[in-house]
Amino acid sequence: MKKFLMLVTASLLFFSIAAQTQDLLSGKFSSSELKKVLVPQAQWTPFPKRDDRAGWARADQKMMQAYLKKAESYLNYQWPYIPATKSLLIERTGDRDQFQAVSFEKREVLGTLLLAEIYENKGRFVDPIIDGVWSICEESFWGVPAHLPKSKEYAGLMDVSKPFVDLFAAETATYLAWVDYYLGDKLDAVSPQIRKRISTETRYRIFDPLMTKPHGWMTKTANGRAPNNWNPWICSNWLNAVLLLEKDDDKRTASVAKVLDVLDEFLNPYPQDGGCDEGPSYWGAAAASLYDNIAMLNLASNDAFQYVYADEKFRNMGRFIYRAQISDKYFLNFADADPQPGMAATMIYRYGKAINDPDMMRFGAFYRKPEEGNIGKFHYFRHFYALFMQDEYQKAAQGLPLPQNIWLPDLQVFAARDQAGTTKGFYVAAKGGHNDESHNHNDIGTYVVYYDGQPLLIDVGRGTYTAKTFSNKRYDIWYNCSDYHNLPTINGKNQPPGMSFKATDVSYKADNASPQFTVDISQAYPTDANINHWQRTIRLNRGKNVQIDDVVNLKNASSITQHVMTCYPAEVGKPGELIIHYNPKGGQASDFVVSYNAKQMTPSIEKVKLDAPEDRGIITKWGDTIYRINFNVLTPKPSDRLSLTIANLSK
């Protein structure tokens, strides 16, 4: 009874906390109050103006010199147009990269030229910048064809009479807005038409559609799925552009108010534990973009939004990035996430500082690297923050928290390692959830096992995005399907997509010697799989092994196959043992044994053929080394227990 009361009390406290965070952003200020706290556009100086040379002397000179060197290689850059046929490729072949490569490069060049002109301030880069602005303004679509509606009306080409805002249209507005902010006088000296073009195009393509038309990324989907990274990512660029370009302070305030409303559509349903179902590689445009919005709002309001940093959900959203870390190179990559994502180090450090989290600050500082003048493709405004924090950042302590136990009850993700603060030994993680998560793979109950920070049993993750990736053929792609995860095929059935296919009876036991995660995956399968219950327990026996125990209860049993994915060759050893030849790049080779009951199961090994366009990304991440191990149950029974144990043969 006492435990029950404690559970009820904890639940009530949780829901009370969650309720308090509803409308955290839009609920703080009325429209009139918001206008008062926002610095008027004509007076707003988020970073020193170009002619404030004393201000720019405080910027990091090594970074600026690196940008200058890079920009000098672009002085004779020939701004390319993008032919209609490149846009049509998304429909004709499914290719999205040819169009995007040109579009992204143009913006990267423009951003680099702007930083060089700010630093040098001699006018040497002004004409190339004007050419870049004009070229971009002449594009039919600032977004990418992969984001066009899938209909005959579009068929791969933008309808310029019906502008809408995707990720990269919003990014484009940010580049142009900062050009206007820093070089407005120099552009006007050449021709008033340049800034007028920036204003006209941005209003038509970005501001008006965002204020007058519903966009799917702004709120939950028809089936109730919460907004994903598109919401805060687009909002961060919308906010940048409207704060810089909108001269009418009433319209500017109205736009900021709508940004806050839209951001709360993202924040309100976000799990209290801060877990990002899109994974660490999307965290940089999800929770991190939410932080970008708050940081910019604080710049625009003399810190009127500082209160957000004390919110526990917001703090947990930041901490997710180091809680999802496996080792210095690898991160937990369920769904479409990358196993080795890049880290936006200065932004992470700033987020950690804002929420007063020393672990996150050390984590961000760990990934600092020499400046080479590369600005990347996205989140351009982060560079201005980075330029003015280097004295502190370069001296900051570095380190990786590497917590021993992680439990995200809302996201239903568990992780544990042999020892806190080190990658030595085993690391195991597993997930529950449902099969309509953002960037979903059908993967309820899957797990990964790493050793010494290197992959052993893996989640393959995503390959190259093509038109097929986000179409009704998404689950024709093998790596999105449950039988290419560490999961069973039951009576010939695999997990389907959809929110109703979910984990149940999820629990976590925080035992010092053997932490474990338990989940019933029966509802993740269709009814004709004939499953009553399938209770899976993933256990780390610290310093020894990892155990996978499945307690099976079926209506009938015709066939069962347990699948295990690895990135190393494997072979069948003596009965009851399958050997994986672990040989990580830069690590120590060792053989691992997957023990099984030879009277119950027989293993087979297949090398996954990688020859589809989507498979290019798999080869980039893992090499042509993906193997699927299939443990076929010899005599399936309605009630049974199936177990696998993973251990290092050299220990």
Side-chain angles (χ1 to χ4, degrees):
M1 184 64 180
K2 184 177 180 181
K3 288 185 178 179
F4 173 76
L5 289 173
M6 290 175 64
L7 178 62
V8 171
T9 302
S11 298
L12 290 173
L13 178 61
F14 168 79
F15 286 116
S16 173
I17 293 170
Q20 291 171 17
T21 62
Q22 297 297 295
D23 296 334
L24 179 69
L25 307 179
S26 62
K28 179 69 172 177
F29 302 108
S30 67
S31 296
S32 59
E33 290 169 337
L34 184 60
K35 185 176 180 181
K36 288 178 182 177
V37 301
L38 289 176
V39 179
Q41 192 269 351
Q43 300 170 23
W44 190 46
T45 310
F47 300 101
K49 290 291 186 77
R50 187 196 71 253
D51 284 340
D52 180 0
R53 302 322 293 174
W56 276 98
R58 295 193 297 272
D60 187 79
Q61 299 304 294
K62 288 183 179 179
M63 290 178 67
M64 296 304 289
Q65 289 161 8
Y67 294 142
L68 177 66
K69 183 178 179 181
K70 188 77 171 180
E72 287 176 331
S73 69
Y74 296 141
L75 274 169
N76 296 312
Y77 183 76
Q78 297 300 305
W79 296 91
Y81 80 101
I82 309 179
T85 48
K86 284 198 183 296
S87 187
L88 288 167
L89 287 174
I90 195 69
E91 292 290 325
R92 292 177 171 177
T93 68
D95 181 278
R96 54 190 283 167
D97 291 337
Q98 289 192 46
F99 181 102
Q100 290 178 182
V102 178
S103 177
F104 294 167
E105 182 182 89
K106 289 172 71 173
R107 285 138 181 85
E108 190 172 349
V109 171
L110 179 65
T112 306
L113 291 169
L114 174 60
L115 287 163
E117 182 57 37
I118 294 168
Y119 176 62
E120 196 177 72
N121 198 28
K122 295 178 180 178
R124 187 160 60 123
F125 300 95
V126 171
D127 277 358
I129 288 170
I130 292 171
D131 283 341
V133 167
W134 212 252
S135 175
I136 288 170
C137 285
E138 288 178 339
E139 293 174 356
S140 294
F141 185 36
W142 283 352
V144 296
H147 297 157
L148 291 171
K150 305 297 187 289
S151 69
K152 291 182 179 179
E153 181 184 0
Y154 287 85
L157 291 174
M158 179 62 179
D159 181 347
V160 297
S161 70
K162 299 177 181 178
F164 67 90
V165 182
D166 79 334
L167 293 173
F168 307 122
E171 286 275 353
T172 302
T174 286
Y175 282 102
L176 296 177
W178 287 107
V179 168
D180 183 276
Y181 176 78
Y182 281 115
L183 298 184
D185 58 333
K186 289 195 174 187
L187 300 181
D188 284 343
V190 175
S191 171
Q193 294 303 317
I194 303 166
R195 295 179 80 190
K196 183 179 179 182
R197 185 77 184 272
I198 290 173
S199 177
T200 299
E201 297 288 354
T202 304
R203 185 169 303 283
Y204 178 70
R205 298 172 188 249
I206 308 296
F207 296 165
D208 289 347
L210 288 173
M211 293 301 288
T212 61
K213 298 178 182 178
H215 286 65
W217 50 263
M218 289 181 171
T219 188
K220 64 184 179 183
T221 62
N223 65 358
R225 183 198 289 175
N228 68 2
N229 69 83
W230 276 49
N231 177 302
W233 186 357
I234 291 175
C235 281
S236 68
N237 287 291
W238 178 10
L239 183 66
N240 263 257
V242 80
L243 287 172
L244 291 165
L245 290 177
E246 181 54 76
K247 293 180 171 55
D248 183 318
D249 283 323
D250 287 331
K251 291 182 178 179
R252 186 169 177 259
T253 301
S255 295
V256 173
K258 185 161 184 181
V259 168
L260 297 178
D261 283 334
V262 172
L263 286 172
D264 274 333
E265 292 287 332
F266 172 77
L267 182 57
N268 284 342
Y270 212 88
Q272 185 71 18
D273 61 23
C276 179
D277 65 1
E278 301 173 89
S281 57
Y282 287 94
W283 176 91
S289 283
L290 179 63
Y291 167 71
D292 287 334
N293 282 279
I294 306 308
M296 188 59 66
L297 284 164
N298 277 319
L299 273 185
S301 67
N302 295 317
D303 289 337
F305 290 83
Q306 196 77 11
Y307 71 93
V308 177
Y309 298 149
D311 181 77
E312 193 61 21
K313 182 195 287 189
F314 183 84
R315 293 162 65 84
N316 282 336
M317 290 170 74
R319 295 167 178 144
F320 174 81
I321 191 59
Y322 66 78
R323 289 173 171 168
Q325 183 175 38
I326 299 172
S327 62
D328 58 337
K329 294 188 175 82
Y330 286 97
F331 287 73
L332 197 51
N333 70 309
F334 295 139
D336 269 352
D338 287 326
Q340 294 181 280
M343 291 293 107
T346 55
M347 178 276 300
I348 293 170
Y349 179 86
R350 289 170 44 232
Y351 197 148
K353 184 178 180 180
I355 65 172
N356 192 27
D357 188 316
D359 281 343
M360 191 171 179
M361 294 170 70
R362 286 192 291 270
F363 176 91
F366 180 88
Y367 288 99
R368 66 186 178 219
K369 55 187 178 182
E371 291 299 331
E372 298 176 348
N374 298 317
I375 67 167
K377 297 178 176 67
F378 314 125
H379 315 291
Y380 180 64
F381 48 83
R382 290 177 182 171
H383 298 288
F384 297 115
Y385 291 96
L387 280 163
F388 292 94
M389 60 177 276
Q390 292 301 311
D391 283 349
E392 173 186 341
Y393 180 63
Q394 295 297 330
K395 298 172 185 174
Q398 296 175 293
L400 298 179
L402 301 175
Q404 190 172 35
N405 296 307
I406 295 294
W407 171 231
L408 302 174
D410 304 312
L411 194 62
Q412 297 182 350
V413 165
F414 143 86
R417 65 181 83 243
D418 272 348
Q419 304 173 60
T422 177
T423 60
K424 293 296 182 184
F426 278 112
Y427 169 97
V428 62
K431 75 179 294 291
H434 60 81
N435 279 338
D436 192 40
E437 295 168 343
S438 186
H439 291 273
N440 180 69
H441 290 196
N442 294 333
D443 60 358
I444 306 310
T446 195
Y447 58 90
V448 298
V449 178
Y450 279 61
Y451 192 82
D452 285 351
Q454 299 282 353
L456 178 61
L457 305 183
I458 66 171
D459 188 306
V460 176
R462 72 170 176 90
T464 297
Y465 281 167
T466 67
K468 190 175 182 179
T469 308
F470 298 105
S471 73
N472 58 8
K473 296 182 179 179
R474 176 177 177 85
Y475 297 99
D476 292 347
I477 303 173
W478 62 272
Y479 51 73
N480 293 333
C481 302
S482 64
D483 54 331
Y484 284 89
H485 286 77
N486 300 320
L487 287 165
T489 296
I490 306 166
N491 288 328
K493 303 299 179 181
N494 296 309
Q495 295 183 13
M499 193 173 290
S500 63
F501 300 102
K502 61 185 179 181
T504 59
D505 297 331
V506 177
S507 65
Y508 165 66
K509 181 182 176 184
D511 184 272
N512 285 335
S514 300
Q516 68 181 40
F517 171 81
T518 300
V519 57
D520 187 338
I521 64 173
S522 59
Q523 289 191 31
Y525 288 79
T527 55
D528 57 357
N530 292 314
I531 311 171
N532 291 321
H533 299 288
W534 189 292
Q535 185 187 67
R536 164 164 285 193
T537 299
I538 295 104
R539 181 183 300 107
L540 171 63
N541 296 311
R542 286 201 162 104
K544 298 178 182 178
N545 56 43
V546 174
Q547 286 180 267
I548 315 299
D549 290 319
D550 288 350
V551 178
V552 178
N553 187 314
L554 306 176
K555 293 181 177 70
N556 60 66
S558 59
S559 64
I560 299 172
T561 302
Q562 293 274 33
H563 305 290
V564 174
M565 305 298 298
T566 186
C567 52
Y568 305 109
E571 63 177 321
V572 178
K574 65 184 181 181
E577 293 187 354
L578 181 132
I579 311 302
I580 297 176
H581 301 297
Y582 167 86
N583 189 15
K585 186 181 294 185
Q588 185 175 352
S590 182
D591 282 347
F592 281 76
V593 60
V594 181
S595 301
Y596 61 95
N597 185 341
K599 295 179 180 179
Q600 269 186 321
M601 296 184 283
T602 182
S604 62
I605 302 155
E606 58 180 305
K607 189 173 187 291
V608 178
K609 191 176 182 180
L610 303 176
D611 57 4
E614 293 80 17
D615 294 339
R616 293 195 304 268
I618 301 298
I619 294 171
T620 299
K621 295 174 181 66
W622 300 107
D624 187 11
T625 60
I626 302 298
Y627 296 86
R628 181 169 72 160
I629 303 164
N630 305 301
F631 291 92
N632 295 299
V633 176
L634 297 169
T635 307
K637 300 175 183 177
S639 294
D640 209 348
R641 186 184 189 108
L642 307 174
S643 297
L644 300 174
T645 302
I646 301 99
N648 189 336
L649 276 175
S650 65
K651 297 295 184 181

